[in-house]
Amino acid sequence: MTTLSQDALDRLAAVIESRKPAAGGDAAASYVARLLHKGPDAFLKKIGEEATEVVMAAKDIDAAQGDADVLRGKLVGEVADLWFHSLVALAHYGRGPQDVIAELLRREGTSGIEEKALRKAVAREGEVRG
């Protein structure tokens, strides 16, 4: 990720942090503050809705139901909405985009198949110990 895009994510994360109730976020004046004030159910519901809209936008491209450039633009917009609401969730749970980027960098060069198998093995080990 370029510094410019990292800066953009960091700026957005800072705005989200400033809208937290503990930071004085005003639910009457800010969409983010309203989501955070309502609690996890509100922003988690939005994440689910946005994820579904990403899938629907991608399916429209696959089905070629319209102008390809317009459809790709719609997909990008829906992914932006999903990322935004995911950043709200990360902020609520005390994390930020830098944590996601660090995780992606940790996984860099690792086979997705191997990564998934490792996560399953760790989960099984936790179940045995628990």
Side-chain angles (χ1 to χ4, degrees), residues 7-28:
D7 289 347
L9 285 173
D10 288 343
R11 285 192 309 273
L12 180 55
V15 169
I16 291 169
E17 282 292 325
S18 75
R19 302 288 164 57
K20 284 180 161 181
D26 181 1

Side-chain angles (χ1 to χ4, degrees), residues 1 9 11-12 19 28 31 33 36 40 58 68 76 78 85 87 96 99 107-108 113 123 128:
M1 183 169 293
L9 285 173
R11 285 192 309 273
L12 180 55
R19 302 288 164 57
Y31 173 72
L36 291 169
V76 168
E78 296 301 348
H85 289 91
L87 287 171
D99 297 301
R107 295 179 185 186
E108 188 175 19
I113 293 169
V128 169

Side-chain angles (χ1 to χ4, degrees), residues 76-100:
V76 168
E78 296 301 348
V79 170
D81 291 343
L82 177 59
W83 283 19
F84 173 80
H85 289 91
S86 296
L87 287 171
V88 171
L90 285 169
H92 175 79
Y93 293 110
R95 298 295 183 160
Q98 69 281 358
D99 297 301
V100 176

Side-chain angles (χ1 to χ4, degrees), residues 55-65 71:
V55 171
M56 291 168 41
K59 296 297 261 180
D60 285 348
I61 294 170
D62 289 340
Q65 296 180 0
L71 293 172

